[in-house]
Amino acid sequence: MTDIPKAYEPKLVEQERYKFWMDGGYFKPKIDKKKKPFTIIMPPPNVTGELHVGHALTATLEDIMIRWHRMLGDPSLWLPGVDHAGIATQVVVERELAKEGLDRHQIGRDKFEERVWQWVRKSRSTITQQHERLGASCDWSREKFTLDDGPVKAVKTAFVQLYNKGLIYRGERIINWCPRCGTALSDLEVQNKDLTSNLWHMKYPYEDGSGYVTVATTRPETYLGDSAVAVNPEDERYTHLVGKKVILPFINRAIPIITDIAIDKEFGTGMVKVTPAHDPVDFEISQRHNLPVIHLLKPDASMNENSGPYAGLDRFEARKKIVEDFEKAGLMEKIEPYSHAVPHCFRCSTVLEPEVSKQWFVKIQPLAQPAIEAVKDGRIKIIPDRFTKIYLNWMENIRDWCISRQLWWGHRIPVWYCQKCGEMIASIDTPTKCDKCGSSDLVQDPDVLDTWFSSGLWPHSTLGWPEQTEDLKYFYPTSVMETSYDIIFFWVVRMIMMGIEDTGDIPFRVVYLHGLIRDEKGEKMSKMKGNVVNPLVTIDKYGCDAMRFALTTGNAPGNDMNIGEHRFEAGRNFANKIWNAARYVLTSLEKEPITTQAFANVAAKKLTETEDRWIISRLNRLVKEVDVLMKDFQFGEAEREMHDFIWGEFCDWYIEICKQRLGKANSPMPVLAYVLETSLRLLHPFMPFITEELWQNLRERLPEGTLTSPALIIAPYPKSNEKLLDPGAEQVMEAVMDIVRTIRNARAEYKVDIGKWVESFVYTDSLLSDIKARSATIEILAKTRPLTVLPRDKRPSKADKAMVSVLKDADVVIPLAGMVDIEAEKARLSKEIDILQREISKLTQRLGDEQFTSKAPAAVIEKEKSRLQEYENKSARMKTALDQLG
Ligand SMILES: [Zn+2]
Ligand SMILES: [Zn+2]
């Protein structure tokens, strides 16, 4: 038999147990066509580096669901993977290069990609090891990378199919350009920051010399690309000016004054400059009026050849120079301080430039419609429900998706251009000659796809699509997509659109969104602030189960959570509590072995002792409650209830109460073993390591065949048995615990020495014989002797120098001979009577209020009435007690 160490040492257990599960092949589901599978595709962490606490939360929640379903007997697949994370990874490797004084252009595309692959291989194995440390029971044999052959083929196939249906097009649109990353970004990759800057009011003279107009801008340098000045057609102030021309100073280009409905009369002077190449609204205006689109910037955001005397300057130097020149020429009417949202790159924080550019887009409307339907008709359920509205609102206003990126790391766009005839060929396989002219002079588009394009295919590409694999047929649509609410638009919506488009079916039935993890003070974690929790450091310090417990207990879906040392400590304390209690049960079992039959009898309604029936009843209630909560995705609440039962009722009460009976004829040993075994199964999905370890130890100490499963990870999840609920036993034990608590509190309040026995009297009616029968228990737990249990009417009318507590089913009178300050005791009773009186008048008022009684459900009114009755009784008894003190 394995020795059980005195204290729980997570390090000694975790690695060994993970290996045990891996060796047993338990993470790999068996495809059984008669059973409905449970499938989660893991949101692939970016290959950019170490896991943070958000990944730990994701992994824990998904592992809870997977372990639970595995124990329910469902073929459960949790498929892990890693994302190549296009721009994020490229930025990291570029930084590495910069340390060596290099940039990617110096080493060239092939060498650069080689560097990234080197880095990726190292990083991928780190991610796998980290998931092992988290206890993630995912099927590593099915692990995928977004740049594996399978997903690559899926990406090309999806692209070509959309292209052939006319849902992918190439066009000139305003995109967000990052001059540092040298790529276009989608709207979602833009981070707006409020900055204090200026609004410059610049004067443009009329061509005919009759004066000037004033336009206001936050980017003076863009005046070089202006194609017009526009006013609202209904703005009567300017009607007479429409059609006139103004001159752009220093470059002497004449532009017209036009009208357009997009102009806001209230903004500034109501007259705006139109810069089609560098502003989305202006671009649209230019399309309506056929205005020239004049680009001003090179890819690195220096001014290009269209910038006249400012060509070659950086955009911000040019701004400075232009402002100076306008001021010197008396053409700057005024400069006002102005704060506004400035778009920044979400990866490198460089100020972005809106810019017209030739890019690839997905025509989103035809894809969005089925995705909206799937959520509206309930085929996809979003948890928590409040995100359904957010989802629908977003989808109804969704805009075409810019999918091309001017990067080197990622899925290269599968389009080739014929150098001879200009034909564009989209193809899954590399074409050898032009379809149209037969030329073999073909050049592939240099751009790569937005990293979210491949992520959008993740649920079906990981299962083998476009091939009709066994996995795809069996596990798709998947069951749950669990992820953070902050990537619902980046990712979740795209998976739904692409999944339906490619397979004709939804990618998952449930979207479970978890909240963000903040620090103890509720602040967002960031490396800059230094308040980041590193999961691996936390596991080293507290153990994996303690961390998992801290990350999930008591939390509801979609809610942000504050986390810090005290929560991890609580997790560790709980693990220690379980360990100590289990160790007590296991060592007792060594001294007093039980039979398989005795173990089975516990659940066969054959128990005679009230406390045994009570703990079994409470356990079954818990199991029932947990089942309801888990089905409702309330994992945090289920875990909290398990904690309260195991810590409170099982460890603190039941074990203490039944200790005295060990080794005797009515020994509680089978009940102790039974409750421990069921609790371990119940808790396993949440705290897998400690539960498996203890369960294996328990299995060893029970006769062979008592626990038939070879491992807890595949043991059946507990089911509640209504027949074992015993309200009578619960009422008795609640009264016993109430009495013990009351005496303990009294002792604490009057600082009675620990070793000292205190006399007490208990007066009760309906539970008289039950409480009498448990006197010995009360005596020992409350250190009270002599203990006298009598009917309520035997309570003396005058209790001199006594502390009186009125409980639900009993009154406790503790003579405090010489130890109590009588005046203080009187004050206490008066205060409690006051509080009760206030409650009574509140309730009386409420029950007399038409508003309340006419609207509240009958059950609520009944409840309030019985509360009032209870308070009135209690108050009356307390008044008697006060009188008794003289
Ligand atoms: Zn950038
Ligand atoms: Zn051709």
Side-chain angles (χ1 to χ4, degrees), residues 87 91 178-183 185 345-350 352:
I87 185 166
V91 168
C178 176
R180 202 229 55 94
C181 295
T183 183
L185 300 172
C345 174
F346 80 127
R347 278 293 159 207
C348 73
S349 277
T350 303
L352 299 175

Side-chain angles (χ1 to χ4, degrees), residues 418 420-423 434 436-439:
C418 173
K420 203 169 163 205
C421 75
E423 176 74 352
C434 172
K436 208 167 154 194
C437 74
S439 163

Side-chain angles (χ1 to χ4, degrees), residues 743 747 757-760 778-780 782-787:
I743 302 172
R747 296 178 61 108
W757 290 85
V758 163
E759 184 181 19
S760 60
I778 298 172
E779 283 179 17
I780 288 172
K783 195 101 184 159
T784 180
R785 207 176 268 166
L787 167 70

Side-chain angles (χ1 to χ4, degrees), residues 90 214 265 302 503 564 566 590 598 694 739 811:
Q90 177 153 335
T214 304
K265 282 196 283 186
S302 62
T503 70
H566 74 284
E590 283 169 20
L694 289 170
I739 293 165
D811 298 348

Side-chain angles (χ1 to χ4, degrees), residues 400-412:
D400 284 0
W401 170 19
C402 174
I403 50 168
S404 44
R405 296 290 180 276
Q406 289 64 53
L407 302 171
W408 286 352
W409 177 242
H411 296 267
R412 187 123 172 220

